[in-house]
Amino acid sequence: VGGDLLDAASDDAVSGLAGTSAVSPLATGAYTSYAGIDGESPWNSCYAAIRAASLFVSNIDVSPVKEKLPNGASVRYAWKAEARFIRALFYFELLKRYGGVPLMGDKVRTLGDDVQVPRSSFADCVNYIVNECDAIKDSLRPNPIAAPELNSHRATRGAALALKARVLLYAASPLFNGQNIDAGNPLTGYGSYDKARWKLAADAARELIDEKTFTLTPNFKDIFITQNNSEVIFFRQGDNTTEIESTNGPVGFAAVARGRTKPTQELVDAFTDNTGVPITDPASGYNSNDPYTARDPRLAMSILYNGARWLNTELQTFEGGQSRPGGAEPGTKTSYYMRKFMGNFENATQYSNTSHDWIILRYTEVLLNFAEAENEFSGPTTEVYQVLKELRARAGIEAGDNGMYGLRENMTPDEMREVVHNERRIELAFEEHRFWDIRRWKIAQQVYGSPLHGMSIIKDGPAFNYNPVEVFKPVFIAPKMYLYPIPYDEVVKNDNMLQNPGW
């Protein structure tokens, strides 16, 4: 969003841009139906992509294609299914922002056609996307994909199953399932709660899990810088550059960086200790005078903090430190920098080109989707515990004498919900999930109701004093902000287009 990660509009990060960033209105409610959102109009960009996909779907059958799939079928069938996947993905991007939207089908409209298309209900949009995923999954290339050096970027069977699981998870979530912001309005969600929707989401995720075509990579950091690894399901291909590092790396080094994404204290505090126990638990080994020692290893793999090793030195984010200089080059507002997605530059003296693909769907999310949905439908089953154990084991959290990785036995569904939500927050940090999660869980008013914090660190000889400081005040004006407004010009030019409540 204007150069910022979407997480800078959540409680996990703030933008390091001087002045007002394009992402700021999303965190403060300073947008209307007249102006673009996300720095542009997601409505326009999504429908442009949907139209392009439909053009392909409508015309590929008459195009001569020589290439064959390994099973001997024409590759056009896979291409057509890939286009339908892309179209379904963009419909989901619309759905999570606006609720029900016009479904255009395969017809590509031209000048003179009737374009006064009404919005379809939320339920119809969910059914359309899910049915598309089911219809194309057997026509897409299977996993693991053949010739990944040529085809790894393509939508595969796994991508269709993962998208279906994500859509059904959103559909089962409180915002749309039982806590509709406009009760009885079919455009903004279902009319009543149905617990069975959680089972649909759990079963969809389980289908992909049971196929055993994806696995967790052994090293958390490798997921984002190693191409064709066993966890990546669908991605947008990036470049082999230093762009992520130069945009988000710490200031104060010869290697030029802008420190754009500033993690919050709220996110840092979400990471447990290295035994998996929350730092707020008296049983935790957390030491507020040495706050970054003996923590969940994912903290060091996701966030750079005072004393962390980077570019062959120890990072100084204390007041007056090398990486928090103030003045024209303000450094970090929170004392933290984002580490995730960057190459292994702890002991290097300069940045070197690193593969930076943007992962849209990865296996860990599917596991977390399953754990959340299964807990909501069946409670904290053995399968739910197993997902959390696997993720914590991969992260490097200690198993403990009881092999529970810090998890309490015999949790209630409410207690497990809190654990799963937090595990999702730290595992998927900066991957564009938190902004949507706090909305679909219907907790945005609570989350945005408190200021966000950083840490002011004062160096006192060899010791440090840590003092939380307020860095940003998000705003959630009203329940209407749970959904984006339909663009004003769409409502004006289409008599059948209904605006979202409150806008």
Side-chain angles (χ1 to χ4, degrees), residues 34-92:
Y34 301 92
I37 306 174
D38 293 6
E40 55 175 284
S41 171
W43 182 279
N44 291 346
S45 59
C46 286
Y47 271 112
I50 288 168
R51 177 179 175 83
S54 293
L55 280 167
F56 188 93
V57 168
S58 299
N59 291 283
I60 185 60
D61 287 343
V62 298
S63 301
V65 178
K66 290 184 178 180
E67 186 179 347
K68 302 289 184 181
L69 292 169
N71 63 6
S74 171
V75 76
R76 78 154 56 90
Y77 298 113
W79 289 351
K80 186 173 183 178
E82 288 167 23
R84 290 174 69 179
F85 169 83
I86 293 294
R87 185 171 62 184
L89 178 64
F90 276 101
Y91 270 121
F92 172 68

Side-chain angles (χ1 to χ4, degrees), residues 317-485:
T317 64
F318 54 82
E319 301 293 345
Q322 175 180 317
S323 295
R324 190 168 181 168
E329 186 68 68
T332 174
K333 300 174 183 178
T334 63
S335 86
Y336 304 112
Y337 293 92
M338 183 181 75
R339 163 68 181 84
K340 201 171 191 177
F341 311 131
M342 298 202 281
N344 296 316
F345 298 114
E346 280 76 5
N347 298 310
T349 56
Q350 62 183 10
Y351 297 133
S352 56
N353 287 342
T354 303
S355 171
H356 290 129
D357 295 331
W358 179 258
I359 300 174
I360 297 171
L361 295 164
R362 69 177 175 105
Y363 184 57
T364 293
E365 184 208 340
V366 177
L367 292 174
L368 287 165
N369 292 350
F370 170 77
E372 180 180 342
E374 179 71 2
N375 179 62
E376 296 296 338
F377 185 75
S378 301
T381 63
T382 301
E383 289 178 300
V384 176
Y385 272 99
Q386 186 60 32
V387 165
L388 297 174
K389 289 178 182 179
E390 288 178 9
L391 293 177
R392 292 184 172 203
R394 190 268 295 276
I397 288 177
E398 297 173 10
D401 293 338
N402 62 358
M404 292 295 289
Y405 295 89
L407 298 168
R408 288 190 297 107
E409 297 181 82
N410 302 314
M411 280 189 275
T412 67
D414 289 347
E415 291 169 336
M416 179 57 83
R417 179 187 303 120
E418 185 176 342
V419 172
V420 170
H421 284 192
N422 193 71
E423 198 77 19
R424 185 179 179 92
R425 181 180 191 179
I426 60 181
E427 176 73 28
L428 303 179
F430 311 121
E431 296 181 51
E432 290 196 357
H433 288 281
R434 181 68 177 174
F435 180 86
W436 303 112
D437 284 345
I438 59 180
R439 283 160 174 76
R440 68 180 179 84
W441 292 330
K442 203 79 180 296
I443 62 171
Q445 286 177 284
Q446 170 191 336
V447 169
Y448 285 100
S450 302
L452 302 179
H453 296 83
M455 189 70 79
S456 175
I457 306 172
I458 307 298
K459 184 172 173 57
D460 183 12
F464 296 97
N465 295 318
Y466 298 89
N467 304 289
V469 292
E470 183 177 325
V471 295
F472 186 75
K473 181 65 175 71
V475 178
F476 201 89
I477 298 171
K480 70 176 185 177
M481 288 178 59
Y482 277 109
L483 295 175
Y484 284 10

Side-chain angles (χ1 to χ4, degrees), residues 263 267-268 271 299-305 336-339 430:
L267 175 59
V268 172
F271 289 84
L299 175 61
M301 292 186 278
S302 302
I303 295 173
L304 291 169
Y305 45 78
Y336 304 112
Y337 293 92
M338 183 181 75
R339 163 68 181 84
F430 311 121

Side-chain angles (χ1 to χ4, degrees), residues 217-232:
T217 61
N219 189 314
F220 180 78
K221 283 193 295 185
D222 288 345
I223 302 167
F224 310 100
I225 58 175
T226 304
Q227 292 184 310
N228 302 328
N229 68 66
S230 64
E231 192 164 334
V232 176

